[in-house]
Amino acid sequence: MLNGGVCVVFRMVVDGGTGTRCEWEGRWNHVRKFLERSGPFTHPDFEASTESLQFMLDTCKILVIGAGGLGCELLKDLALSGFCNIHVVDMDTIDVSNLNRQFLFRPKDVGRPKADVAAEFINSRIPGCCVVPHCKKIQDFDETFYRQFHIIVCGLDSIVARRWMNGMLLSLLVYEDGVLDPSSIIPLIDGGTEGFKGNARVILPGMTACIDCTLELYPPQINFPMCTIASMPRLPEHCIEYVRILLWPKEKPFGDGVGLDGDDPDHIQWVYQKSLERAAEFSITGVTYRLTQGVVKRIIPAVASTNAVIAAACATEVFKIASSAYIPLNNYMVFNDVDGLYTYTFEAERKENCSACSQVPQDLHFSPSSKLQEVLDYLTESASLQMKSPAITATVEGKNKTLYLQSVASIEQRTRPNLSKTLKELGLSDGQELAIADVTTPQTMLFRLSFTS
């Protein structure tokens, strides 16, 4: 149970001794069958013993990121598998629409933080398990927080958040004379679902393909032409996008400078009502509150069965890595049950010039007459980079100079004229290093200009 952030445990007699968990005879028999005897499918280096179970029960510390559809399943699976020390991070609050698949929540929980409710539910239903909630963004924690975990599991619906977490674990790696220290590796198990499709993958930072190595695998965001949204809407999504893009900044329903928050029910309700009005004007049907929220947050409706399958796959990988009993997934599993059941596993390979994990600056090929705007467009539109709001700095004439920064309005206004200048006019030269920061990673990435003729 959770009491002021501290887990209250029960003392009971376990195997003739005094334990600090609520146990009973035979509770972990199903786990012991995997850990206390060898078999034809065990890891070549596996030695059957009682120590693996004790490590899982007493020592192993797991971080689950996300307490939504995948997160609820993950917490349940991990707790029932013997992991007793779990932390969960989620910044969202519970909405009515969550209740059809996020089974740790009830109607009385609507409006409360997902992390809090999920932790309370697991702690109350699975004796001896201690889930610690954190109602924050993953970006609110520093390296010290993440270093404490043995394994991190992601159940996110955001590619940006995945990439940030990927970058954080890469930043924790320690190299000695160019050789990676294995003890600094924190495995990342990543799960994702889209309707009846899903995937699970195992990432060993610095050793296997990272999130950024395989960015091309993620589907591009669907964007509708502005002329269609403004003049000739045909779909309910067009009506919602009209309100989101054009009407919200024009009418400022919640005051100047208040951006549209997809997690704020009042904001979504306003967009929903205005979208209904827009749809009625053009005799379009199909605008619903759930669709409105999905379009605003750029999410695809989730399917409970897909979440359950992918979470089970992820939890199995956590078990294999924590116990060393079996060889982990190598390294990407695809799941599809749209027409029948299909699953396929392949090894995603590391990119030698990955901007996140390669340890070498990536070349940017531009001519000296190219505009800085062209570089910015490449960083955001390239399938292998997909940055969101890159900030570009460089050392010019011995001084560090911000060439463009979008996130701070005053600096954006001051550096905007640079976008129309050529690289030569900005004082940049062939082989020049550019330091680029973006919301997709906690690290500053280094790129090298390679001038073309």
Side-chain angles (χ1 to χ4, degrees), residues 101 193-197 290 300-308 337:
R101 65 194 180 281
T193 62
E194 288 186 352
F196 289 99
K197 301 176 183 180
R290 184 173 181 180
I300 296 175
V303 175
S305 59
T306 310
N307 284 332
D337 64 346

Side-chain angles (χ1 to χ4, degrees), residues 18-84:
T18 301
T20 56
R21 289 182 308 275
C22 184
E23 306 283 27
W24 53 88
E25 185 178 354
R27 180 179 183 185
W28 303 114
N29 281 353
H30 62 298
V31 177
R32 286 194 169 100
K33 290 176 181 178
F34 292 99
L35 303 180
E36 297 181 8
R37 62 184 186 183
S38 60
F41 300 108
T42 55
H43 193 285
D45 300 326
F46 174 68
E47 294 183 5
S49 70
T50 60
E51 294 179 0
S52 293
L53 178 59
Q54 291 308 123
F55 171 75
M56 289 169 53
L57 294 174
D58 299 331
T59 307
C60 190
K61 208 168 187 178
I62 308 294
L63 174 63
V64 175
I65 301 177
L70 261 181
C72 286
E73 293 280 355
L74 281 166
L75 289 169
K76 176 259 295 180
D77 290 347
L78 292 170
L80 291 175
S81 297
F83 296 98
C84 296

